[in-house]
Amino acid sequence: MERRLVIGLNIALTALIGDEPHVLCVKRRGGWGLPFGRFDPEEHRTFELALRDFVERQTAVPLGYVEQLYTFGDRGREAPRASLVMGDEADRIVSVGYLALAPEASELSLESAQWRPWYAFFPWEDRREKGGPLPLIEERLRAWADSDQERLDRIALTMGSKKMRWAEERALDRFELMYEARLVAEAHRDLDGVEGPELYGEAMISDHRRILATAIARIRGKMRYRPVVFQLMPEAFTLSDLQGGVEAILGFPIHKQNFRRGLESAALVEKTSETAQRTGGRPAALYLPGPASAATTAVGLPLPRYKETKKA
Amino acid sequence: MERRLVIGLNIALTALIGDEPHVLCVKRRGGWGLPFGRFDPEEHRTFELALRDFVERQTAVPLGYVEQLYTFGDRGREAPRASLVMGDEADRIVSVGYLALAPEASELSLESAQWRPWYAFFPWEDRREKGGPLPLIEERLRAWADSDQERLDRIALTMGSKKMRWAEERALDRFELMYEARLVAEAHRDLDGVEGPELYGEAMISDHRRILATAIARIRGKMRYRPVVFQLMPEAFTLSDLQGGVEAILGFPIHKQNFRRGLESAALVEKTSETAQRTGGRPAALYLPGPASAATTAVGLPLPRYKETKKA
DNA sequence: CGCCATATACTCGCGGTGAGCAAAAGGGGT
DNA sequence: ACCCCTTTTGCTCACCGCGAGTATATGGCG
């Protein structure tokens, strides 16, 4: 029997709902996963076209900004059951992961598709509020390292420490560390089928949570040198909205005045004469993306680095 | 007749020879190209293993650092002749590009493999010396733009201008611009088969020059936040060697004292007691990669941005 | 009319970075 | 032996971006 190559396309489509980043998920047997499909060379001229095609079919959501993430070709990268979903047992699956951004989370007509918050899958990536599972996770990672200096260094590097600052864009490294230390359900599912004690975040089928981690890492990193946030914002927005969105993606709060100063000095936004009607305090001016906000521009947002000592 | 998916792996393996970055090329009919091969799912467990396997077979050069670049799945991305090399006419080729770095350019036993300098393919990317084809290229690009403001903006953005600084990591964008403006031979070969006037840089088969541009862009960008240069250096080196390598990759000269200051304050290098015997001036101390130079470290070299006003 | 909440404006100080000067350490020629 | 040339190495200084705090404007609401 001949083995054939099959190319699967996976997409992490994210949009903001309020100040919470969400990812589009579809229900499969085995649990939630990212929308995906098989690339048919007869039918589609490019990966992107195929992607748009079947995402719209599966979820009735049109795609906006799209970017390729990574191509996974490892045999055995998935649990055996994945092949039941994607093709014949004997086929070899190569999957190409994509990131996409939408300016709003559209209504979903299908029950099998749903917007789910990022941080349900990665609770440790959200540091906007004090608290959270991080201290405990670090403790368990150190227990796993078991005085192995190399492991301890790696933990300090990816999770932050006294000397090393928290690097929000290392979301993938953190997930891989958690996987190796068996603190996420997928590790047990893939390796021995046994449930561990206290695991963190919701699992996804196959390696989809890994792809989502890649997507989070990518967009977090990209925000520093490309104005991609605007792909997640509506036409007009207040600076607070924008900052809320940025903080949601980054996973930590930033200084308001400095953020605004940087935005204006880089011509990233343009003030309109209208104001938003809000409850609470003084009405905020509505802004539009400015001349420097074109997706092709190599200008970054004024983003600080995470610091332990900041107000909630 | 059934069409099948074929996965091709392409690799841009680079090493320094003196102060010149070189890429490993293989001779094919049609001209020079990157080493590549067909991924056989029966034989290889992962892409990387396959890569190492056939590069060693084709060129007898072992790979060091390896990183995936991008996966190209477009139909018609290649000239028809490519399918003769890679598979049957009817097969659909998807190619995965890789970047690899070697600490030295090993001797090549095969005549069909050869180290070729980066800047033979991209003369406009080397701004270490005054002069070069850039002013003329910009002029021809503007002629191509023909007062189309969008094109003019794009040119200013990718090629630099008064307001926009030269961004060395935009090598891919520049190549794509040159392709669209038909200033590289591939554009004519792929589109109409006619030779144009004055073209820039040597051509490669298929889209291999594009992959090399991607590789250059990637390593240039990566140097800013990861100490990847050390993958290109021998065991011990002088700071001038290191700086020469960095400048070779970046494509422009940098300030010596500031470079050294940054290196030491980041603990990227470690001084040894030995010195290099050189002709010319004062002997330089030999250095080793320092504690912060591990490939996993998120620390960048102290790299300035290109400025027009610099010494030769 | 006073209170509250948020938006917006301004200031201050540190540290990173760009740029240059000057001394140190060899080699080679006269 | 001495001078000159070259490259390395050490140091200074000014500027600017950025973190962080303080103060003022502008609305809603009781």
Side-chain angles (χ1 to χ4, degrees), chain B residues 240 256-257 260-261 281-282 284-285:
Chain B
S240 293
K256 190 189 306 217
Q257 292 88 332
R260 303 173 94 266
R261 172 178 58 189
R282 167 173 173 177

Side-chain angles (χ1 to χ4, degrees), chain A residues 2-239:
Chain A
E2 208 198 350
R3 230 178 183 184
R4 269 180 304 171
L5 275 173
V6 174
I7 294 194
L9 300 174
N10 298 281
I11 186 163
L13 171 60
T14 98
L16 291 171
I17 301 179
D19 274 350
E20 212 56 51
H22 284 66
V23 61
L24 186 61
C25 295
V26 295
K27 185 151 209 155
R28 302 273 164 182
R29 12 191 228 138
W32 290 95
L34 301 176
F36 65 93
R38 182 169 165 159
F39 175 65
D40 179 356
E42 307 286 349
E43 198 178 342
H44 296 108
R45 204 168 52 77
T46 72
F47 287 163
E48 277 204 23
L49 290 176
L51 211 58
R52 289 174 194 276
D53 192 38
F54 73 66
V55 168
E56 289 180 25
R57 266 210 293 262
Q58 275 181 46
T59 66
V61 175
L63 296 184
Y65 176 89
V66 169
E67 171 178 338
Q68 192 185 102
L69 289 173
Y70 200 82
T71 302
F72 304 92
D74 294 11
R75 181 181 320 179
R77 74 173 243 278
E78 323 209 4
R81 74 171 67 94
S83 48
L84 297 175
V85 182
M86 301 269 304
D88 301 325
E89 282 284 334
D91 286 349
R92 177 64 176 278
I93 300 166
V94 168
S95 76
V96 186
Y98 278 83
L99 160 69
L101 305 178
E104 60 178 334
S106 41
E107 288 293 316
L108 298 178
S109 46
L110 300 81
E111 193 185 325
S112 59
Q114 195 178 314
W115 292 103
R116 317 224 56 223
W118 275 11
Y119 300 123
F121 302 104
F122 302 99
W124 58 88
E125 293 292 342
D126 186 2
R127 309 194 68 173
R128 287 174 292 178
E129 316 264 317
K130 297 276 183 190
L134 255 179
L136 188 52
I137 288 179
E138 287 191 62
E139 196 177 306
R140 294 190 58 194
L141 283 174
R142 272 192 294 273
W144 163 77
D146 191 30
S147 306
D148 176 332
Q149 192 56 42
E150 211 157 316
R151 284 182 172 180
L152 288 173
D153 287 349
R154 191 165 149 226
I155 293 171
L157 187 68
T158 67
M159 309 298 290
S161 68
K162 322 283 166 283
K163 333 201 60 173
M164 302 290 198
R165 65 160 198 284
W166 171 265
E168 76 281 349
E169 73 275 10
R170 304 209 149 192
L172 177 59
D173 306 64
R174 280 187 287 271
F175 181 71
E176 289 181 341
L177 196 57
M178 303 271 297
Y179 185 99
E180 278 187 60
R182 308 228 176 178
L183 299 184
V184 293
E186 282 91 334
H188 297 275
R189 181 200 63 193
D190 298 350
L191 300 171
D192 49 26
V194 199
E195 280 288 305
E198 181 68 42
L199 299 173
Y200 296 94
E202 288 178 32
M204 290 176 106
I205 61 167
S206 181
D207 60 351
H208 289 195
R209 206 170 164 199
R210 188 169 191 277
I211 296 175
L212 180 55
T214 311
I216 292 174
R218 178 71 65 91
I219 186 178
R220 282 181 172 178
K222 196 143 196 168
M223 272 213 301
R224 293 196 173 273
Y225 58 98
R226 290 281 157 94
V228 275
V229 226
F230 296 106
Q231 306 288 344
L232 291 167
M233 303 303 284
E235 182 78 32
F237 46 83
T238 69
L239 294 187

